[in-house]
Amino acid sequence: MPVLHKYKDKEKYYVLTSISGKIVTFQLTGEGHEKLLKSGIKNEERFGRALLFDLYRTGDAFTHGAGPGKVEGVDKRQLLFDFPDDPEPESIFPSCSVCNSINDLHLVEVKDKEHFAGIYCSDCRKIRSSTINTSIPLPLINRGLLSRVLEMNNIQKTDKSLTEYRKLLDTEFVNRWEEIAKTKSVKKSINQNRLFESEDDQGSLL
Ligand SMILES: [Zn+2]
């Protein structure tokens, strides 16, 4: 499960999670961090992949170059083995159609022998740059924009990664934010009630 972390030297937050046995760092926008805070998720706390994915697809969480090597002060062994089961599989996150990397993904329009749209990482974009016509950072792509790009460029085919991602963009995740905020506030009110109860007890003793 993803874990929220704060950079030691600045008021910025990032998320670490494990995908395909590798630790992946997701940077957060200010808005992304706000959303997590509002749901009651605090620094060093775990949360569901569905939420991270939702931040990803709205552009509030993104991977960009910062590999696990740049994360300091984190026990990597603990990270690798300390992720309990999550209802959402790791495969919820999109990956490069060619090499499966999830680093710095773009939606690309490829004009080679075939004309199609897909998802490429930065390395694969470099290698195949001569066949790429359009390239847009994936976190900027939403459902409507994707449909428009496909229609305007008359793209009939999407590769496996993009087809999967498109399906996930169509899934409704909004409820999960509400759910998690609800469970958090329920926990809080239970704790508050306990506090009141103990005060009452004291009252009756006096
Ligand atoms: Zn790649």
Side-chain angles (χ1 to χ4, degrees), residues 31-89:
E31 240 172 274
H33 177 232
E34 271 297 297
K35 278 189 192 173
L36 287 174
L37 272 188
K38 275 186 191 156
S39 299
I41 291 150
K42 295 179 202 81
N43 193 20
E44 307 290 324
E45 202 174 331
R46 291 195 176 92
F47 57 97
R49 282 192 194 105
L51 291 192
L52 180 59
F53 177 73
D54 201 52
L55 291 173
Y56 183 87
R57 67 175 189 165
T58 53
D60 287 318
F62 53 94
T63 58
H64 196 90
K70 291 190 181 172
V71 179
E72 283 162 33
V74 178
D75 188 337
K76 285 176 189 163
R77 262 179 324 169
Q78 190 193 341
L79 267 169
L80 278 175
F81 297 111
D82 203 13
F83 287 93
D85 285 345
D86 191 304
E88 300 300 335

Side-chain angles (χ1 to χ4, degrees), residues 53-54 56-57 91-95 97 105-108 116-119 138 141-173:
F53 177 73
D54 201 52
Y56 183 87
R57 67 175 189 165
S91 57
I92 190 171
F93 294 102
S95 58
S97 313
L105 299 176
H106 277 210
L107 165 78
V108 291
F116 65 93
I119 296 176
L138 202 58
I141 293 290
N142 58 32
R143 214 163 63 175
L145 201 60
L146 177 57
S147 301
R148 253 174 278 160
V149 169
L150 296 178
E151 204 175 320
M152 279 164 58
N153 294 8
N154 195 24
I155 304 167
Q156 311 285 346
K157 207 186 147 200
T158 55
D159 70 13
K160 198 169 156 266
S161 289
L162 185 57
T163 308
E164 279 300 307
Y165 189 56
R166 203 177 184 191
K167 267 190 228 155
L168 284 168
L169 285 177
D170 290 336
T171 319
E172 201 57 68
F173 279 93

Side-chain angles (χ1 to χ4, degrees), residues 39-41 45 51 175-191:
S39 299
I41 291 150
E45 202 174 331
L51 291 192
N175 289 337
R176 301 195 196 215
W177 286 101
E178 288 164 7
E179 269 167 35
I180 192 148
K182 247 185 254 163
T183 45
K184 291 266 175 188
S185 62
V186 166
K187 269 185 208 157
K188 219 194 243 170
S189 64
I190 289 172
N191 285 339

Side-chain angles (χ1 to χ4, degrees), residues 96 98-101 120-121 124:
C96 174
V98 184
C99 73
N100 284 327
S101 161
Y120 282 6
C121 72
C124 293

